[in-house]
Amino acid sequence: MKFDILTLFPKMFVSPLEESILARAIEKGLIQIRTINLRDFAWDKHHVVDDTPYGGGQGMVMKVEPIARAIEWIKSQDPVAWTVYLTPQGKPLNQEILQQLSLRSHLILLCGRYEGVDERVRDLYVDEEISIGDYVLTGGELAAMVVIDAVSRLLPGVLGSDRSAKEDSFFNSLLEYPQYTRPSEFRGVSVPEVLLSGNHEAISRWRRKEALRRTALRRPDLLSKANLSEEEKKLLGEIFQENQVKEGRDGV
Ligand code: 4HQ
């Protein structure tokens, strides 16, 4: 999969791509990442990439021509390249959107700065607008990095082979269950007995129950989307009862 990043700050992408899983994916040729400095496509004497907004107001707007030339240059090499603009005005990013993006062969990630891009960039070039959350960044670069990271781990060969089995399992729509490693006791806090028991049936049941508990308590919105089996509904019932007992003790 190819990623082309259009940015005024290409150096922001250097070290995140030199570490760990993404570095290995690049090394193995599973992903190909190019940073393209939009300033290289500003052809006036001073390589100007931004200008004041028509109608007045604060801040600067990214000019249409450098972005247009950069995207047209990429598309002349690969007409199927899909252009994504990172903006708080886009669709809120989730795993389903990432799954769809991971099926494409070539993504162009447009990173805005200042007050964003001239609206004609949207009109003429942007295929999809994505937001990584309802908060304001200084630019689209970190959002683009989030997309690259989360898409890459979905591509065949990027993660260990035990991943895909896990990805479409029961846990997909739920929060993760609690994890422990050695030592078995730390500052008086012990690892749950069942995890040391070697009873794989009991461990699996415990993990499903704790994933359900976490999800019910922290993200009830996710539970309504999950397709729960009869066994899982029974576990949820147990959780609610345990919680009522606990609330009773706490005086709720
Ligand atoms: N920005 N999700 C403003 C974001 C953002 C987000 C990127 C800041 C675009 C013009 N991008 N620039 N949240 O806050 O994607």
Side-chain angles (χ1 to χ4, degrees):
M1 174 146 191
K2 292 191 173 86
F3 296 94
D4 276 323
I5 305 162
L6 303 185
T7 175
L8 294 174
F9 300 98
K11 284 188 292 186
M12 285 185 71
F13 294 88
V14 175
S15 86
L17 298 173
E18 283 179 356
E19 300 287 347
S20 186
I21 291 166
L22 293 184
R24 210 162 318 126
I26 293 168
E27 221 171 77
K28 287 202 241 171
L30 300 172
I31 58 174
Q32 226 172 293
I33 304 181
R34 270 196 310 197
T35 51
I36 293 159
N37 192 335
L38 285 167
R39 202 165 285 278
D40 295 343
F41 288 84
W43 293 348
D44 62 302
K45 185 160 163 229
H46 295 105
H47 303 285
V48 174
V49 292
D50 58 355
D51 203 345
T52 54
Y54 274 121
Q58 49 129 45
M60 298 293 270
V61 174
M62 287 175 71
K63 289 169 67 60
V64 62
E65 299 99 316
I67 297 171
R69 288 190 199 110
I71 293 176
E72 285 170 6
W73 175 69
I74 296 166
K75 291 254 206 170
S76 75
Q77 302 166 358
D78 182 4
V80 305
W82 182 257
T83 303
V84 175
Y85 178 48
L86 289 314
T87 168
Q89 297 154 55
K91 286 182 283 181
L93 185 60
N94 59 35
Q95 201 62 29
E96 190 190 325
I97 292 172
L98 289 163
Q99 197 79 248
Q100 292 298 314
L101 290 176
S102 76
L103 303 177
R104 300 199 175 269
S105 59
H106 192 168
L107 296 179
I108 299 172
L109 301 172
L110 174 59
C111 306
R113 283 269 152 177
Y114 323 116
E115 308 309 311
V117 298
D118 185 303
E119 188 65 18
R120 290 164 295 186
V121 171
R122 287 193 162 95
D123 298 340
L124 296 171
Y125 298 103
V126 172
D127 296 310
E128 184 170 4
E129 298 185 26
I130 291 177
S131 166
I132 65 160
D134 292 337
Y135 43 80
V136 184
L137 303 168
T138 57
E141 285 78 10
L142 290 172
M145 201 62 241
V146 164
V147 169
I148 291 169
D149 186 289
V151 166
S152 296
R153 65 179 288 288
L154 296 176
L155 302 176
V158 170
L159 292 189
S161 48
D162 63 321
R163 191 265 306 168
S164 45
K166 197 188 161 195
E167 200 86 53
D168 52 15
S169 78
F170 156 80
F171 296 109
N172 211 354
S173 49
L174 299 179
L175 300 184
E176 294 281 330
Y177 51 81
Q179 298 274 18
Y180 298 86
T181 186
R182 284 179 282 193
S184 66
E185 193 197 310
F186 181 74
R187 309 258 157 95
V189 184
S190 291
V191 173
E193 274 293 331
V194 63
L195 298 180
L196 312 177
S197 70
N199 181 343
H200 298 297
E201 185 64 41
I203 291 170
S204 166
R205 184 187 139 90
W206 182 86
R207 284 180 167 166
R208 278 179 295 148
K209 186 168 175 180
E210 294 313 312
L212 282 165
R213 187 194 310 281
R214 269 214 169 156
T215 311
L217 292 177
R218 299 184 187 189
R219 293 293 307 277
D221 58 304
L222 295 181
L223 261 194
S224 36
K225 289 175 207 155
N227 275 34
L228 299 182
S229 69
E230 288 310 307
E231 163 78 352
E232 284 138 20
K233 285 177 191 158
K234 196 180 117 204
L235 290 172
L236 253 191
E238 292 177 21
I239 291 164
F240 282 126
Q241 276 191 331
E242 289 162 16
N243 216 42
Q244 275 175 353
V245 172
K246 180 165 126 49
E247 283 173 3
R249 282 202 311 270
D250 295 345
V252 180

